[in-house]
Amino acid sequence: PSSLGYLSRLRGLALYTNNLTGPIPWSLGNLSNLEDLDLQQNSLTGTIPSSLGYLSRLRGLVLYTNSLTGSIPSSLGRLGNLNSLLLYQNSLTGPIPSSLGNLSNLEDLDLHMNGLTGTIPSSLGNLSRLVDLYLNTNSLTGPIPSSLGNLDQLLFLNLSNNRATGSIPVSLANLTSLVNIDLSQNRLDGSLPNIFNDLGSIQSVFLSNNNLGGSFPFESLSPTITNLVIGNNSFTGNINAMEAIRNLPNLTTIDISFNNFRGLFPTGL
């Protein structure tokens, strides 16, 4: 109810996992002391009120798994104390606002499974505390910004199932804390830059269903890797290069299908 907007001392509002319907009241933007707003897993409809951008103390905005529509308000970029912005599994459309790059305390940004379009804003590279970035399963286009290489605290990067084009930025080698990278099911092309020498914590690499070519640097993979899925690309070279995977004791899954490797398969793998 819109009357919740009169609770001026409220610090937390958790209404998650109910059967709530209708729009999010504009009046919630009056809750100037609110630190956490969690409305996840309901059946809320309508747009995200731009008035939520007035909640200057907000640390968590959790609206995932609803039926929200419209665009992400650029006013959310004013929420300088925000740690988590979780808007996934809705029906949001339009571009990702570049103003989200102003959220200097943000650690978790999850916008996956919406209908977002446009390019990935280069301003996201300003989010120096970001740990998780999930933009997968949208309709994002254009190149992967090289500025994402500034996110040196990032553990999980998932841009899969979009329409991203161009090459993979060499700047991703700076993501030395990265555990999981998923760029699969895009339209990426060009040769794979030599980034794996620096990704010493990487466990999962998913690059399948792109147009990537050239040789694959099996010899550069970290011994921490468990999943390597690079099928449905145009990688070339002698399959004997796979001898290097003998040095990957944690590897449990490898998929190099539908590429252009040649030669005799190494024995004893």
Side-chain angles (χ1 to χ4, degrees):
S2 60
S3 58
L4 291 177
Y6 293 110
L7 303 177
S8 59
R9 296 187 180 183
L10 204 65
R11 292 187 177 180
L13 179 57
L15 303 176
Y16 56 86
T17 317
N18 281 288
N19 295 304
L20 301 176
T21 59
I24 299 171
W26 179 274
S27 61
L28 295 188
N30 297 328
L31 302 175
S32 57
N33 288 303
L34 200 66
E35 296 178 357
D36 292 286
L37 177 58
D38 192 342
L39 307 179
Q40 63 172 285
Q41 300 185 72
N42 281 288
S43 298
L44 299 172
T45 56
T47 60
I48 299 173
S50 60
S51 61
L52 299 186
Y54 295 120
L55 303 177
S56 59
R57 297 188 180 185
L58 203 64
R59 296 178 303 185
L61 180 56
V62 182
L63 304 179
Y64 67 80
T65 314
N66 279 286
S67 298
L68 299 171
T69 57
S71 59
I72 299 172
S74 61
S75 61
L76 298 186
R78 301 189 197 123
L79 303 176
N81 288 309
L82 203 65
N83 299 134
S84 298
L85 180 58
L86 309 180
L87 306 181
Y88 61 86
Q89 291 182 348
N90 280 287
S91 297
L92 300 171
T93 55
I96 299 172
S98 60
S99 62
L100 296 188
N102 297 328
L103 302 176
S104 57
N105 287 299
L106 199 65
E107 297 178 3
D108 303 297
L109 177 58
D110 194 337
L111 308 178
H112 84 268
M113 288 189 70
N114 280 288
L116 300 173
T117 55
T119 60
I120 300 170
S122 60
S123 61
L124 297 186
N126 298 330
L127 304 177
S128 59
R129 297 188 179 184
L130 205 64
V131 175
D132 303 314
L133 178 57
Y134 292 96
L135 303 180
N136 49 297
T137 317
N138 281 287
S139 297
L140 300 171
T141 56
I144 298 173
S146 60
S147 61
L148 295 189
N150 298 332
L151 305 177
D152 57 6
Q153 302 299 310
L154 203 65
L155 299 180
F156 297 93
L157 174 61
N158 194 336
L159 308 180
S160 67
N161 198 18
N162 279 289
R163 300 173 187 172
T165 55
S167 58
I168 296 175
V170 68
S171 61
L172 297 189
N174 298 327
L175 305 181
T176 54
S177 299
L178 201 64
V179 171
N180 185 307
I181 182 170
D182 192 345
L183 306 180
S184 60
Q185 299 187 61
N186 277 287
R187 300 173 183 177
L188 301 170
D189 56 24
S191 298
L192 191 65
N194 189 11
I195 61 175
F196 293 109
N197 282 326
D198 299 300
L199 302 184
S201 301
I202 197 73
Q203 294 180 13
S204 296
V205 175
F206 300 100
L207 302 177
S208 60
N209 293 285
N210 281 289
N211 299 309
L212 298 168
S215 60
F216 188 86
F218 292 103
E219 72 284 353
S220 299
L221 294 172
S222 168
T224 57
I225 197 164
T226 59
N227 300 292
L228 177 63
V229 181
I230 62 171
N232 283 284
N233 279 288
S234 298
F235 289 117
T236 59
N238 198 305
I239 198 68
N240 282 329
M242 281 188 63
E243 288 276 4
I245 70 173
R246 296 178 189 273
N247 301 319
L248 305 177
N250 298 305
L251 189 65
T252 59
T253 301
I254 182 168
D255 181 357
I256 64 167
S257 60
F258 294 99
N259 279 286
N260 296 314
F261 295 111
R262 57 180 173 76
L264 296 174
F265 193 80
T267 60
L269 287 182

